[in-house]
Amino acid sequence: LALSPDLVGVSSSSFCYPSGIRLVSQIKAEKRDVVTVMGGYHPTRFDSLLLKEILALDLVIRGEGDESFPELCRRLLRSESLEGLPSLSYRSDGLVVRGIPQQIEDLDAIPFPDRALFTYDGYFHQFGGFPIPEVPATANVASSRGCPYHCTFCPKLFPQWRYRMRSADNVFQEILELHRAGFKMAFFQDENFSYDIPRVEKICRLILEHNLKMRFAFQGTIHHLPESVFQLMHRAGFDALFVGVESGSDAQLRR
């Protein structure tokens, strides 16, 4: 509120959407003319329900908002119609107009985040609600989107959303940018960083060739990784990994 925003966007999973709704509602109560937007897996699934029940919520961006959210901002600045804007859901004459979830095909074409726009103070003091030891200056990196698996409990289970990866060279260029900016560690937050072994190997070799003294953490499955890849990753600076243990039963996992 101190920034007196014209628009507030909140990204939300199912886990944190109640706090997102509280945030949107509190801001709207204090500043009635602010435009409130939500995106993420939960609003993408339940856009109609949220727009019907949460009066403080004005708009929902469905799917990946890299293109649609900036276009929404441009149209609002120009006081243009929102009709036909890809992925946007909104109210019109008492009904909810639903946008088709957008998916970015060429992830290498997306610019790297401008991390100079905000401070990292306070980040990485906890993970999944658990406090973690003090870590060096760390930045998040997303190297892929979607998922190659089909777990029935996962919000990524959109039939039309394919698994897409950034190229190894593109990922390394972001790592290099982080290194030059003074970051000491990068956390690959996408859940399937380790899925494509040749890509992992190339990223590690590029890090070693340039002798980058950084540390890395990643999320992903590891049952398919040979010992040689683990050793290569360790030499490149990967010293922390997060693994989801859905079940200890192979039969249950197959089901």
Side-chain angles (χ1 to χ4, degrees), residues 7-236:
L7 180 148
V8 172
V10 178
S11 181
S12 178
S13 64
S14 298
F15 175 76
C16 65
Y17 111 91
S19 59
I21 293 297
R22 285 197 301 273
L23 176 62
V24 165
S25 300
Q26 290 170 4
I27 291 173
K28 197 76 165 180
E30 294 289 333
K31 194 174 188 296
R32 299 301 302 174
D33 61 340
V34 71
V35 177
T36 54
V37 190
M38 289 193 78
Y41 290 116
H42 194 90
T44 293
R45 282 284 195 184
F46 301 108
D47 54 319
S48 293
L49 185 65
L50 293 180
L51 288 170
K52 288 176 182 176
E53 295 189 354
I54 311 299
L55 298 181
L57 179 62
D58 297 317
L59 306 167
V60 170
I61 292 285
R62 305 185 72 213
E64 298 172 354
D66 306 79
E67 297 174 351
S68 53
F69 187 71
E71 177 60 22
L72 168 64
C73 294
R74 284 189 285 267
R75 293 197 188 188
L76 291 173
L77 282 169
R78 300 167 184 162
S79 298
E80 295 177 352
S81 170
L82 301 181
E83 185 177 356
L85 201 160
S87 79
L88 182 70
S89 294
Y90 58 95
R91 302 182 191 90
S92 178
D93 298 325
L95 301 174
V96 174
V97 178
R98 303 186 72 198
I100 298 174
Q102 196 169 32
Q103 175 180 279
I104 307 300
E105 294 298 331
D106 183 7
L107 299 185
D108 281 10
I110 299 175
F112 302 150
D114 186 352
R115 294 178 171 90
L117 290 174
F118 60 96
T119 174
Y120 271 73
D121 293 343
Y123 276 69
F124 298 100
H125 289 196
Q126 60 87 27
F127 186 86
F130 296 94
I132 57 177
E134 186 174 340
V135 295
T138 305
N140 277 342
V141 178
S143 75
S144 65
R145 293 184 181 179
C147 186
Y149 304 108
H150 304 283
C151 305
T152 56
F153 56 79
C154 183
K156 291 192 173 184
L157 198 65
F158 285 88
Q160 68 272 32
W161 283 15
R162 297 178 297 97
Y163 179 59
R164 292 145 292 139
M165 297 181 295
R166 293 166 54 193
S167 68
D169 290 303
N170 182 257
V171 172
F172 176 72
Q173 286 305 312
E174 185 172 4
I175 294 173
L176 201 57
E177 185 176 283
L178 292 174
H179 182 264
R180 291 167 178 164
F183 288 96
K184 304 299 183 184
M185 186 171 184
F187 171 44
F188 289 92
Q189 65 181 42
D190 46 318
E191 296 92 336
N192 296 290
F193 175 79
S194 55
Y195 176 74
D196 187 284
I197 292 178
R199 189 184 73 133
V200 170
E201 291 176 322
K202 185 172 182 180
I203 292 171
C204 290
R205 291 193 181 100
L206 286 168
I207 293 169
L208 290 167
E209 286 171 11
H210 289 76
N211 196 30
L212 298 186
K213 300 300 182 183
M214 290 182 66
R215 297 170 62 191
F216 303 95
F218 73 98
Q219 300 185 111
T221 54
I222 58 173
H223 62 277
H224 67 300
L225 294 180
E227 179 66 21
S228 59
V229 174
F230 274 116
Q231 294 295 339
L232 176 64
M233 295 180 77
H234 181 61
R235 291 199 304 274

